[in-house]
Amino acid sequence: MDIQTRRHRTVQIQDQENAYVTKKINLVIPNKRQSLTARGALGDINTNVEIQRGINVGKVTGAAAECDKKPIVKRGPLRTYNHVQSKVDTGLASKPIIQPSSRPPLRREESTAGLAARAVRSKAGLKDCQNDLKETATTILQGKKIIETKKATKLPTLKENAKETKSILKPILKDPIESLCKLKLVEETKSKKINILETEKILLPHDIEDIDANDKNSPLLMSIYIKDIYKYLTELEKKYPIESDHLKNQTVITGKMRATLIDWLVEVQRQFSLVLETFHLTVGIIDRYLQAVPNVQRNQLQLVGVTAMFIASKYEEIYAPDVGDFVYVTDNAYTKSDVFQCERDIMSKLGFCLARPIPLSFLRRFVKAAHGTSKNHHLAKYFVDLSLIEYSMAHYRPSELAAAALCLSLYLLSTKKLTDVWTPTLSYYSGYKLKHIEPIIQKNCKNCYQC
C-alpha cells in the first residue's frame, strides 16, 4: 500500500507539473500578428526562444520522473583526497603541484666530473697550439734564410750576365718605345693646333672686331665652333653649285615658267604657314632637279614644285603638312601616288642630300657682324626673296645673295656711302669685297623697280 500511495502521489505531482508547464507555454506563446505588430521580426525570434525553453523544462521533468521509476543502485563510499582538500582550504590549488623526482640526488664528485674533463681537454689544446706556433716560427726563419741566400747568389749573376739581359730586352722594348714616341708626337701636334687657333684669335687685324667675344657664356650660340661651321657651309656651297643658265638642257621649261611656279609656291607657303627656310630650300631643290634632269614636261613642273615643298617641309618643319593637302592645293591635278613617285625620283637624282645651305643662314651672321637692326634684317630678306624668283640670279651662291642684300639694306636705311657701309669686318666675315657684290646689288635694285 505504501508503494502504491507513493506512485499515486508521484503521478499527481507529474500531472500538476505538466499542467503548470502547459499553462506557462500557453501564456508565453503569442500570436504571429500580435508579435509582428508589437515587435516585428524580433518578436518572432523571442517567442521561439521562449518556446524552446518551455519545451526543455518539460523534458527535464520527464527525465526526473523516469529516474524515479528506475531501481536505486547501491554504490560504494566516495573516495576522499586529503591533499587536494587541504590545498583547496589553504588556497594553493592554482599553483602547480611539484612532485618529488624518483632519481636520487647527485653526488658532489659526479657533478664536477664533467668540468674536470673539459679542463683537461683545454690544456691539451693549448699545448697543441703552442707546438704549432713553434713550428710556424721555425718555418718562417728558414724561409728568411733561404731568401737571403738567394739574394746573395743572384747579385753576382746579374752583374756577370748584364750584356745578355740587355740584348734580350732590346727587341722587346722596341715597339712600346715607338708607340710612346708616336703618342708624344700626336700630343705635340694637338698642342700646336691649339696654339695656332689661339694665335688666330689673337692675330685678328686691328680694324676687325671679334663678334663672338661676348658669346662665350651662352652655349646656344656655340662661339667655339661658329667659325668652323660657316667654313663648312661655304664648302657645301662650292660642292653643290647651280650653273648659270641651268635650264639650257630643258626643251619646254623656261625662266618665266620657273618664276611663275616660285611665285605660286610663295602663296602655298603662306597658306600652310610654313617657315621661310622651307621656301628657300624648296627653290634650291627645284633648281638642282631641273639642272640634273633634262626634258621635264610642262604638266610635270607643278608636280615637281609641290613635291619639292613637301620634301622641304619634312626637312625643316616641326609639323609638316599632309600629302593630301598638297594634292588639294593642285586642285586634284595629281594623286598621292604621283607625289610619292616624284619624291623618290627627286631624292635619287639629288643623291639623297639636302645639305646645300640657304641665304638666310648666312644673312644672320652678316647682320651680326654689321650690328644691324631688325629693319635691316627684314629688308635684306625681302631682297633675297626677290632674287630667288629671278632666273638670271639663280646661279649666285647663297652667301653672295645674303651679302648683297644686306649691303643694299644698310645703304638704303642710312645716309652713308656704299664704301662706308661695307666695313672691313663685314668683308672679313663674309669673304667678299664690295667690288664682288656690286653687280648683285644692281640686279636687286632692278628687281625692286620692276615690282
PDB file of all heavy atoms in Angstrom, residues 40-66:
ATOM      1  N   GLY A  40       7.677  43.213 -34.427  1.00  0.00           N
ATOM      2  CA  GLY A  40       8.163  42.889 -35.766  1.00  0.00           C
ATOM      3  C   GLY A  40       8.869  41.544 -35.771  1.00  0.00           C
ATOM      4  O   GLY A  40       8.455  40.596 -35.106  1.00  0.00           O
ATOM      5  N   ALA A  41       9.952  41.498 -36.511  1.00  0.00           N
ATOM      6  CA  ALA A  41      10.699  40.249 -36.656  1.00  0.00           C
ATOM      7  C   ALA A  41      11.347  39.831 -35.357  1.00  0.00           C
ATOM      8  O   ALA A  41      11.486  38.646 -35.060  1.00  0.00           O
ATOM      9  CB  ALA A  41      11.761  40.401 -37.739  1.00  0.00           C
ATOM     10  N   LEU A  42      11.725  40.763 -34.515  1.00  0.00           N
ATOM     11  CA  LEU A  42      12.348  40.427 -33.236  1.00  0.00           C
ATOM     12  C   LEU A  42      11.376  39.719 -32.312  1.00  0.00           C
ATOM     13  O   LEU A  42      11.759  38.885 -31.513  1.00  0.00           O
ATOM     14  CB  LEU A  42      12.886  41.697 -32.568  1.00  0.00           C
ATOM     15  CG  LEU A  42      14.053  42.374 -33.284  1.00  0.00           C
ATOM     16  CD1 LEU A  42      14.343  43.704 -32.607  1.00  0.00           C
ATOM     17  CD2 LEU A  42      15.268  41.490 -33.241  1.00  0.00           C
ATOM     18  N   GLY A  43      10.058  40.049 -32.374  1.00  0.00           N
ATOM     19  CA  GLY A  43       9.051  39.366 -31.569  1.00  0.00           C
ATOM     20  C   GLY A  43       8.998  37.895 -31.883  1.00  0.00           C
ATOM     21  O   GLY A  43       8.905  37.058 -31.005  1.00  0.00           O
ATOM     22  N   ASP A  44       9.079  37.542 -33.167  1.00  0.00           N
ATOM     23  CA  ASP A  44       9.086  36.119 -33.546  1.00  0.00           C
ATOM     24  C   ASP A  44      10.285  35.409 -32.977  1.00  0.00           C
ATOM     25  O   ASP A  44      10.194  34.286 -32.491  1.00  0.00           O
ATOM     26  CB  ASP A  44       9.091  35.990 -35.077  1.00  0.00           C
ATOM     27  CG  ASP A  44       7.784  36.510 -35.663  1.00  0.00           C
ATOM     28  OD1 ASP A  44       6.791  36.498 -34.923  1.00  0.00           O
ATOM     29  OD2 ASP A  44       7.792  36.923 -36.837  1.00  0.00           O
ATOM     30  N   ILE A  45      11.430  36.042 -33.012  1.00  0.00           N
ATOM     31  CA  ILE A  45      12.662  35.410 -32.510  1.00  0.00           C
ATOM     32  C   ILE A  45      12.551  35.172 -31.023  1.00  0.00           C
ATOM     33  O   ILE A  45      12.850  34.092 -30.512  1.00  0.00           O
ATOM     34  CB  ILE A  45      13.875  36.277 -32.827  1.00  0.00           C
ATOM     35  CG1 ILE A  45      14.105  36.302 -34.339  1.00  0.00           C
ATOM     36  CG2 ILE A  45      15.135  35.766 -32.129  1.00  0.00           C
ATOM     37  CD1 ILE A  45      15.003  37.404 -34.796  1.00  0.00           C
ATOM     38  N   ASN A  46      12.025  36.129 -30.275  1.00  0.00           N
ATOM     39  CA  ASN A  46      11.909  35.995 -28.814  1.00  0.00           C
ATOM     40  C   ASN A  46      10.919  34.906 -28.438  1.00  0.00           C
ATOM     41  O   ASN A  46      11.138  34.139 -27.515  1.00  0.00           O
ATOM     42  CB  ASN A  46      11.486  37.321 -28.196  1.00  0.00           C
ATOM     43  CG  ASN A  46      12.591  38.362 -28.355  1.00  0.00           C
ATOM     44  OD1 ASN A  46      13.758  37.990 -28.327  1.00  0.00           O
ATOM     45  ND2 ASN A  46      12.221  39.628 -28.518  1.00  0.00           N
ATOM     46  N   THR A  47       9.824  34.858 -29.160  1.00  0.00           N
ATOM     47  CA  THR A  47       8.822  33.823 -28.870  1.00  0.00           C
ATOM     48  C   THR A  47       9.379  32.446 -29.129  1.00  0.00           C
ATOM     49  O   THR A  47       9.132  31.506 -28.367  1.00  0.00           O
ATOM     50  CB  THR A  47       7.577  34.040 -29.725  1.00  0.00           C
ATOM     51  OG1 THR A  47       7.987  34.101 -31.093  1.00  0.00           O
ATOM     52  CG2 THR A  47       6.857  35.315 -29.368  1.00  0.00           C
ATOM     53  N   ASN A  48      10.125  32.303 -30.176  1.00  0.00           N
ATOM     54  CA  ASN A  48      10.710  30.996 -30.461  1.00  0.00           C
ATOM     55  C   ASN A  48      11.659  30.572 -29.361  1.00  0.00           C
ATOM     56  O   ASN A  48      11.701  29.402 -28.968  1.00  0.00           O
ATOM     57  CB  ASN A  48      11.480  31.041 -31.779  1.00  0.00           C
ATOM     58  CG  ASN A  48      10.521  31.193 -32.957  1.00  0.00           C
ATOM     59  OD1 ASN A  48       9.408  30.705 -32.892  1.00  0.00           O
ATOM     60  ND2 ASN A  48      10.965  31.873 -33.989  1.00  0.00           N
ATOM     61  N   VAL A  49      12.399  31.480 -28.817  1.00  0.00           N
ATOM     62  CA  VAL A  49      13.334  31.155 -27.730  1.00  0.00           C
ATOM     63  C   VAL A  49      12.588  30.704 -26.517  1.00  0.00           C
ATOM     64  O   VAL A  49      12.941  29.725 -25.864  1.00  0.00           O
ATOM     65  CB  VAL A  49      14.220  32.375 -27.420  1.00  0.00           C
ATOM     66  CG1 VAL A  49      15.068  32.120 -26.174  1.00  0.00           C
ATOM     67  CG2 VAL A  49      15.109  32.685 -28.611  1.00  0.00           C
ATOM     68  N   GLU A  50      11.495  31.392 -26.195  1.00  0.00           N
ATOM     69  CA  GLU A  50      10.724  31.024 -25.013  1.00  0.00           C
ATOM     70  C   GLU A  50      10.064  29.669 -25.188  1.00  0.00           C
ATOM     71  O   GLU A  50       9.973  28.874 -24.258  1.00  0.00           O
ATOM     72  CB  GLU A  50       9.675  32.096 -24.734  1.00  0.00           C
ATOM     73  CG  GLU A  50      10.299  33.394 -24.226  1.00  0.00           C
ATOM     74  CD  GLU A  50       9.253  34.470 -23.983  1.00  0.00           C
ATOM     75  OE1 GLU A  50       8.087  34.203 -24.284  1.00  0.00           O
ATOM     76  OE2 GLU A  50       9.624  35.541 -23.498  1.00  0.00           O
ATOM     77  N   ILE A  51       9.613  29.384 -26.388  1.00  0.00           N
ATOM     78  CA  ILE A  51       9.010  28.066 -26.638  1.00  0.00           C
ATOM     79  C   ILE A  51      10.030  26.980 -26.412  1.00  0.00           C
ATOM     80  O   ILE A  51       9.763  25.967 -25.769  1.00  0.00           O
ATOM     81  CB  ILE A  51       8.462  27.998 -28.070  1.00  0.00           C
ATOM     82  CG1 ILE A  51       7.227  28.884 -28.181  1.00  0.00           C
ATOM     83  CG2 ILE A  51       8.109  26.570 -28.474  1.00  0.00           C
ATOM     84  CD1 ILE A  51       6.878  29.253 -29.598  1.00  0.00           C
ATOM     85  N   GLN A  52      11.256  27.175 -26.889  1.00  0.00           N
ATOM     86  CA  GLN A  52      12.293  26.173 -26.698  1.00  0.00           C
ATOM     87  C   GLN A  52      12.610  25.995 -25.232  1.00  0.00           C
ATOM     88  O   GLN A  52      12.835  24.891 -24.750  1.00  0.00           O
ATOM     89  CB  GLN A  52      13.554  26.595 -27.461  1.00  0.00           C
ATOM     90  CG  GLN A  52      13.395  26.439 -28.959  1.00  0.00           C
ATOM     91  CD  GLN A  52      14.613  26.919 -29.683  1.00  0.00           C
ATOM     92  OE1 GLN A  52      15.560  27.376 -29.039  1.00  0.00           O
ATOM     93  NE2 GLN A  52      14.576  26.822 -31.013  1.00  0.00           N
ATOM     94  N   ARG A  53      12.610  27.092 -24.484  1.00  0.00           N
ATOM     95  CA  ARG A  53      12.884  26.982 -23.047  1.00  0.00           C
ATOM     96  C   ARG A  53      11.802  26.180 -22.353  1.00  0.00           C
ATOM     97  O   ARG A  53      12.070  25.326 -21.531  1.00  0.00           O
ATOM     98  CB  ARG A  53      12.990  28.372 -22.435  1.00  0.00           C
ATOM     99  CG  ARG A  53      14.274  29.097 -22.780  1.00  0.00           C
ATOM    100  CD  ARG A  53      14.279  30.469 -22.179  1.00  0.00           C
ATOM    101  NE  ARG A  53      15.484  31.180 -22.542  1.00  0.00           N
ATOM    102  CZ  ARG A  53      15.726  32.448 -22.252  1.00  0.00           C
ATOM    103  NH1 ARG A  53      14.795  33.150 -21.584  1.00  0.00           N
ATOM    104  NH2 ARG A  53      16.854  33.020 -22.600  1.00  0.00           N
ATOM    105  N   GLY A  54      10.544  26.451 -22.709  1.00  0.00           N
ATOM    106  CA  GLY A  54       9.447  25.700 -22.102  1.00  0.00           C
ATOM    107  C   GLY A  54       9.519  24.235 -22.432  1.00  0.00           C
ATOM    108  O   GLY A  54       9.280  23.370 -21.593  1.00  0.00           O
ATOM    109  N   ILE A  55       9.843  23.938 -23.646  1.00  0.00           N
ATOM    110  CA  ILE A  55       9.952  22.525 -24.051  1.00  0.00           C
ATOM    111  C   ILE A  55      11.069  21.854 -23.296  1.00  0.00           C
ATOM    112  O   ILE A  55      10.953  20.713 -22.834  1.00  0.00           O
ATOM    113  CB  ILE A  55      10.176  22.436 -25.570  1.00  0.00           C
ATOM    114  CG1 ILE A  55       8.903  22.849 -26.280  1.00  0.00           C
ATOM    115  CG2 ILE A  55      10.566  21.013 -25.979  1.00  0.00           C
ATOM    116  CD1 ILE A  55       9.122  23.226 -27.735  1.00  0.00           C
ATOM    117  N   ASN A  56      12.200  22.556 -23.105  1.00  0.00           N
ATOM    118  CA  ASN A  56      13.328  21.986 -22.357  1.00  0.00           C
ATOM    119  C   ASN A  56      12.937  21.725 -20.912  1.00  0.00           C
ATOM    120  O   ASN A  56      13.343  20.721 -20.317  1.00  0.00           O
ATOM    121  CB  ASN A  56      14.519  22.920 -22.401  1.00  0.00           C
ATOM    122  CG  ASN A  56      15.123  22.983 -23.792  1.00  0.00           C
ATOM    123  OD1 ASN A  56      15.072  21.984 -24.507  1.00  0.00           O
ATOM    124  ND2 ASN A  56      15.672  24.125 -24.143  1.00  0.00           N
ATOM    125  N   VAL A  57      12.117  22.591 -20.321  1.00  0.00           N
ATOM    126  CA  VAL A  57      11.659  22.389 -18.938  1.00  0.00           C
ATOM    127  C   VAL A  57      10.816  21.127 -18.854  1.00  0.00           C
ATOM    128  O   VAL A  57      10.948  20.308 -17.935  1.00  0.00           O
ATOM    129  CB  VAL A  57      10.876  23.613 -18.447  1.00  0.00           C
ATOM    130  CG1 VAL A  57      10.214  23.333 -17.109  1.00  0.00           C
ATOM    131  CG2 VAL A  57      11.821  24.798 -18.319  1.00  0.00           C
ATOM    132  N   GLY A  58       9.946  20.934 -19.870  1.00  0.00           N
ATOM    133  CA  GLY A  58       9.130  19.718 -19.888  1.00  0.00           C
ATOM    134  C   GLY A  58       9.969  18.480 -20.009  1.00  0.00           C
ATOM    135  O   GLY A  58       9.710  17.450 -19.387  1.00  0.00           O
ATOM    136  N   LYS A  59      11.031  18.539 -20.818  1.00  0.00           N
ATOM    137  CA  LYS A  59      11.916  17.387 -20.964  1.00  0.00           C
ATOM    138  C   LYS A  59      12.608  17.067 -19.656  1.00  0.00           C
ATOM    139  O   LYS A  59      12.807  15.907 -19.289  1.00  0.00           O
ATOM    140  CB  LYS A  59      12.954  17.680 -22.050  1.00  0.00           C
ATOM    141  CG  LYS A  59      12.376  17.628 -23.436  1.00  0.00           C
ATOM    142  CD  LYS A  59      13.474  17.897 -24.451  1.00  0.00           C
ATOM    143  CE  LYS A  59      12.917  17.866 -25.858  1.00  0.00           C
ATOM    144  NZ  LYS A  59      13.965  18.152 -26.881  1.00  0.00           N
ATOM    145  N   VAL A  60      13.015  18.085 -18.913  1.00  0.00           N
ATOM    146  CA  VAL A  60      13.720  17.869 -17.638  1.00  0.00           C
ATOM    147  C   VAL A  60      12.809  17.168 -16.637  1.00  0.00           C
ATOM    148  O   VAL A  60      13.217  16.246 -15.932  1.00  0.00           O
ATOM    149  CB  VAL A  60      14.239  19.199 -17.083  1.00  0.00           C
ATOM    150  CG1 VAL A  60      14.749  19.038 -15.658  1.00  0.00           C
ATOM    151  CG2 VAL A  60      15.332  19.739 -17.979  1.00  0.00           C
ATOM    152  N   THR A  61      11.551  17.610 -16.585  1.00  0.00           N
ATOM    153  CA  THR A  61      10.614  16.998 -15.640  1.00  0.00           C
ATOM    154  C   THR A  61      10.346  15.548 -16.010  1.00  0.00           C
ATOM    155  O   THR A  61      10.257  14.664 -15.144  1.00  0.00           O
ATOM    156  CB  THR A  61       9.304  17.773 -15.628  1.00  0.00           C
ATOM    157  OG1 THR A  61       8.833  17.884 -16.989  1.00  0.00           O
ATOM    158  CG2 THR A  61       9.496  19.166 -15.083  1.00  0.00           C
ATOM    159  N   GLY A  62      10.241  15.261 -17.311  1.00  0.00           N
ATOM    160  CA  GLY A  62      10.028  13.874 -17.740  1.00  0.00           C
ATOM    161  C   GLY A  62      11.204  13.004 -17.384  1.00  0.00           C
ATOM    162  O   GLY A  62      11.054  11.856 -16.976  1.00  0.00           O
ATOM    163  N   ALA A  63      12.418  13.519 -17.555  1.00  0.00           N
ATOM    164  CA  ALA A  63      13.617  12.752 -17.203  1.00  0.00           C
ATOM    165  C   ALA A  63      13.678  12.490 -15.711  1.00  0.00           C
ATOM    166  O   ALA A  63      14.088  11.413 -15.269  1.00  0.00           O
ATOM    167  CB  ALA A  63      14.855  13.512 -17.657  1.00  0.00           C
ATOM    168  N   ALA A  64      13.248  13.462 -14.908  1.00  0.00           N
ATOM    169  CA  ALA A  64      13.243  13.262 -13.453  1.00  0.00           C
ATOM    170  C   ALA A  64      12.266  12.172 -13.061  1.00  0.00           C
ATOM    171  O   ALA A  64      12.537  11.347 -12.183  1.00  0.00           O
ATOM    172  CB  ALA A  64      12.870  14.562 -12.753  1.00  0.00           C
ATOM    173  N   ALA A  65      11.117  12.112 -13.736  1.00  0.00           N
ATOM    174  CA  ALA A  65      10.123  11.079 -13.434  1.00  0.00           C
ATOM    175  C   ALA A  65      10.650   9.714 -13.787  1.00  0.00           C
ATOM    176  O   ALA A  65      10.469   8.739 -13.062  1.00  0.00           O
ATOM    177  CB  ALA A  65       8.834  11.369 -14.193  1.00  0.00           C
ATOM    178  N   GLU A  66      11.343   9.586 -14.924  1.00  0.00           N
ATOM    179  CA  GLU A  66      11.919   8.305 -15.319  1.00  0.00           C
ATOM    180  C   GLU A  66      12.971   7.849 -14.328  1.00  0.00           C
ATOM    181  O   GLU A  66      13.115   6.650 -14.040  1.00  0.00           O
ATOM    182  CB  GLU A  66      12.515   8.414 -16.723  1.00  0.00           C
ATOM    183  CG  GLU A  66      11.449   8.509 -17.798  1.00  0.00           C
ATOM    184  CD  GLU A  66      12.046   8.669 -19.189  1.00  0.00           C
ATOM    185  OE1 GLU A  66      13.290   8.721 -19.262  1.00  0.00           O
ATOM    186  OE2 GLU A  66      11.274   8.762 -20.172  1.00  0.00           O
TER     187      GLU A  66
END
